[in-house]
Amino acid sequence: MNYSDIFKSSINKLKLEGRYRYFNEIERVVGKHPKASWILGSKKNDITVWCSNDYLGMSQNKIVMSSMINAVKSMGTGSGGTRNISGNSNAIVNLENELADFHKKQKAIVFSSGYVANEATISTLLSLLKDVVVFSDEKNHASIITGIKKSNALKEIFKHNDLKHLNNLIKKYPENRPKVIVFESIYSMDGDIGDIYGITNIAKKYNALTYLDEVHAVGMYGANGSGIAEKLGLQNSVDIIQGTLGKAFGTMGGYIASSNIICDAIRSYASGYIFTTAIPPALAKAANTSIRYLKKSNKERILQQQNTILLKKYLKNENINFIDNESHIVPIMVNDPIRCLEISKILLNEFRHYIQPINFPTVPIGTERLRVTPGPLHTEEMIADLTFALKYAFKKTEKVNFKKPA
C-alpha cells in the first residue's frame, strides 16, 4: 500500500472540485489595519483586508496593546501549565469575573479558543445529562456539531430558525426528559440572526436548557457590546452563553458564561478544559482590557455599522449579488467554487483586495461566496474601489466555463 498516493489522491480531488484551500501569507502592520502586507516570495505587497474577524480592529488598539506589553513584562509570556496545576493566574480569574458581569451571569470560564469552548462544554454538558435529547439548528458551527457527536447524545436537527419545526420535534419527548437547545445569535456565513426570543420561549414551555453561541456578536451589539441577547434584553432567558475573545475583542480564547453550578460542572469534567495549557496571563489581561474598553466605547460599533450600510449601498448600485441581513457580515454570492476562487485571485492579484473564498463544507455546495466584514477603519474610498474590483472580476469570469471535468 502506498500511503502517499492515497493522500495525494484526496488532495487532487479537492483541487478538481475547486475546494482546495490556499493559505496566503499575510503580515499585519500595527497602526495600518485594515491594511496589511501580502508576502509573495521575497516581495511584500500592500493589500486591504476585507475578510478579517478582527471586526473592530481591537488587536491594534493602543490601550489593548499596552496592556499586553506591560503584562508580558511583569508576568512573562506563558501561563506555566493547565488551570489545575499552575496556570490559574490572577489575570485569568479577573477575566472570568469580567465576563460573568459582562453577560449578567454568576460565573464564566475561559478556554483556549471558541472552538474548544463549544466542543468541550457541549460534549460534557450532554454527557452529564442522562438520557438527554439535544436540539440543534441545522446551520450550527462545526464546533457545535463535533461537541454533540462526541457526547453520543440523541440529537434532533431542526430547520434553520424554524420555530414550528423545533416545536414539533421537542413536543415528542416527555417534559421530565432532559433537553438542550443549541443555536447561534449570528450565523457566520449568511449573517442572519437566530430567533432568540422564540427559541427561549419554546425552551421554557418544554423545560429545556438553552445554549447560545454569540461568537460573532460579542463586542458588536448591545449597549455594552455583550451581544444580540443583550440588545434584545434576553440575557436572563439564556442558560449558557458562549463567546470568543478572538474576534471583536482582538485577542484569543473562548469562554462560557452561566450559573455557578453549570460552570463548576463543566470545569470539573470537561477534558478540553482540564488537560490543556491555560491562556497566558498577558493574553488574559489584554482581553480584559478590550472588554472593558468596548463596554464604554460605542464609536467603533457605530463606525462599523455605518460602513456595512455603505458597502451594501455600493453593492446594490452595481447589482452585485449579496445576502442582505441585519448583521455586519456581507456574503457576496458566487455560487460556484472554481469561479469563487478565480474572483478571489483577481481581487488580490490585480486590485490588492484580500477576500478568501468560502466553499464546501463551510457552506453547502452551490452557495460558494466571498464573506466580507467591513470594519470601522475601512474608508469610503476603499469601499468604492472594492466595488469596482468586484464588478470587474464578476464580468471577467462571467463567460468562463467553470464546469468541473466529468
Side-chain angles (χ1 to χ4, degrees), residues 275-345:
F275 298 108
T276 192
T277 301
I279 66 170
L283 191 57
K285 286 279 286 186
N288 206 340
T289 301
S290 185
I291 293 165
R292 289 181 176 179
Y293 176 92
L294 287 175
K295 282 171 72 174
K296 294 180 180 178
S297 175
N298 205 32
K299 66 179 182 180
E300 291 80 7
R301 288 189 282 274
I302 292 171
L303 283 171
Q304 189 282 321
Q305 289 161 10
Q306 288 174 347
N307 279 339
T308 300
I309 292 169
L310 188 62
L311 174 62
K312 290 178 178 181
K313 179 182 176 182
Y314 270 82
L315 295 176
K316 284 177 182 176
N317 288 343
E318 296 298 339
N319 295 313
I320 295 171
N321 184 26
F322 70 95
I323 298 176
D324 201 356
N325 53 51
E326 296 180 12
S327 79
H328 58 285
I329 296 167
V330 185
I332 297 171
M333 303 306 293
V334 182
N335 304 320
D336 181 279
I338 300 174
R339 188 185 186 194
C340 194
L341 176 61
E342 186 61 27
I343 289 174
S344 175
K345 287 180 178 178

Side-chain angles (χ1 to χ4, degrees), residues 22-27 36-47 345 348-350 352 354:
Y22 295 89
F23 294 89
N24 292 300
E25 186 178 347
I26 304 296
E27 182 179 281
S37 294
W38 170 37
I39 313 298
L40 195 61
S42 59
K43 188 178 180 182
K44 288 186 178 182
N45 304 277
D46 291 336
I47 59 170
K345 287 180 178 178
L348 183 60
N349 292 323
E350 298 186 38
R352 298 296 188 257
Y354 179 63

Side-chain angles (χ1 to χ4, degrees), residues 6-21:
I6 295 172
F7 298 133
K8 186 177 181 180
S9 176
S10 66
I11 293 297
N12 286 339
K13 180 176 181 291
L14 290 178
K15 290 181 177 179
L16 189 67
E17 295 172 355
R19 297 197 291 118
Y20 182 73
R21 295 172 190 259

